[in-house]
Amino acid sequence: MFVALGAHLAKADKIAHALMRPGEPVYNEVVKHFGGAILNPDLSVNRARLAELVFGTKQVSVGGVLAERMPRLDELNRIVHPAVIRAQEEWMGEVGRQDRGAVAIVEAALIVEAGAAIRFDCLIMVTCDEEQRVVRFASRQKLPLDEARREVTRRMAAQLPDAEKIKLANYVIDNSGSLEHTRGEVQRIWEELHTRAHSGIQS
């Protein structure tokens, strides 16, 4: 919706996928760290196999309270996140050089968790209720609901709770309702972002 209004968009997942192609430095480091068992016969990374490896949990004591941690996911993120952040900044710099009044948006699930939020002028949090996430994910991925629920639960365990992210966000879009409602929220935020971007040129 933002793109339709004129925003430039980069998706962190697509950047990460590109960095994990054979021959890329990030690919080499990931394979070195996690071993050849994560590779397909054509030497590309088998993302499902890598996910099985890194999303394993173990209990650790945090302040005397048992908590679930994903230590291997932390290891993967330490390799991938810095490279993704560098690529995002290069992209934003290029967009800014081409259009000083541009609104550039990076779509990413782990902006806060990666410590990258400070690198952006503002943070937009998009949220909906848990069951909607499951149903929508099942529909997109063409999965049974129980399988989709397990995957959504696994992914959410790697993220801060929505309530914590909302505290940090400049804007919050509740995507639980109709498309028309969401479109209205996007339009309202776009007008503010567009005004801010162009006031920067004038000042």
Side-chain angles (χ1 to χ4, degrees):
M1 291 179 184
F2 280 109
V3 170
L5 292 169
H8 299 260
L9 176 68
K11 297 188 176 187
D13 274 352
K14 286 191 175 181
I15 294 173
H17 290 181
L19 294 170
M20 296 274 273
R21 290 176 186 148
E24 294 288 336
V26 169
Y27 168 92
N28 294 337
E29 188 64 25
V30 168
V31 174
K32 177 182 175 183
H33 194 83
F34 292 98
I38 65 168
L39 298 180
N40 293 312
D42 65 359
L43 300 183
S44 63
V45 172
N46 184 309
R47 298 184 64 82
R49 205 172 298 152
L50 179 60
E52 287 175 12
L53 182 64
V54 302
F55 278 102
T57 62
K58 73 172 184 178
Q59 286 194 328
V60 295
S61 177
V62 180
V65 178
L66 285 178
E68 296 289 337
R69 286 293 310 280
M70 297 179 181
R72 303 231 71 187
L73 179 60
D74 293 340
E75 294 168 17
L76 178 65
N77 288 342
R78 277 195 293 272
I79 297 170
V80 176
H81 282 169
V84 171
I85 290 168
R86 282 194 301 272
Q88 287 170 179
E89 293 191 335
E90 289 171 6
W91 173 78
M92 286 188 288
E94 183 59 31
V95 169
R97 283 188 289 275
Q98 293 180 12
D99 179 2
R100 290 184 59 207
V103 174
I105 296 178
V106 172
E107 177 191 315
L110 301 175
I111 284 177
V112 174
E113 293 83 349
I118 195 172
R119 299 172 182 271
F120 297 92
D121 295 313
C122 66
L123 184 66
I124 303 171
M125 172 69 181
V126 183
T127 186
C128 68
D129 68 50
E130 188 172 335
E131 190 59 24
Q132 281 178 316
R133 289 179 187 177
V134 172
V135 171
R136 291 172 180 177
F137 185 80
S139 175
R140 284 198 307 273
Q141 303 296 324
K142 297 180 173 52
L143 294 173
L145 275 179
D146 57 343
E147 188 176 340
R149 184 169 284 106
R150 284 195 299 271
E151 181 62 20
V152 168
T153 300
R154 183 177 75 168
R155 292 183 182 208
M156 295 312 298
Q159 301 182 30
L160 286 174
D162 281 7
E164 295 301 312
K165 290 185 179 181
I166 286 171
K167 292 176 186 176
L168 301 171
N170 302 87
Y171 303 100
V172 177
I173 297 175
D174 184 352
N175 196 26
S176 299
S178 66
L179 279 174
E180 290 72 22
H181 173 78
T182 299
R183 191 170 284 110
E185 290 295 290
V186 169
Q187 180 68 45
R188 177 182 62 81
I189 294 169
W190 166 257
E191 289 171 3
E192 292 189 24
L193 296 179
H194 189 257
T195 298
R196 286 177 59 180
H198 283 79
S199 66
I201 295 176
Q202 294 162 6
S203 62

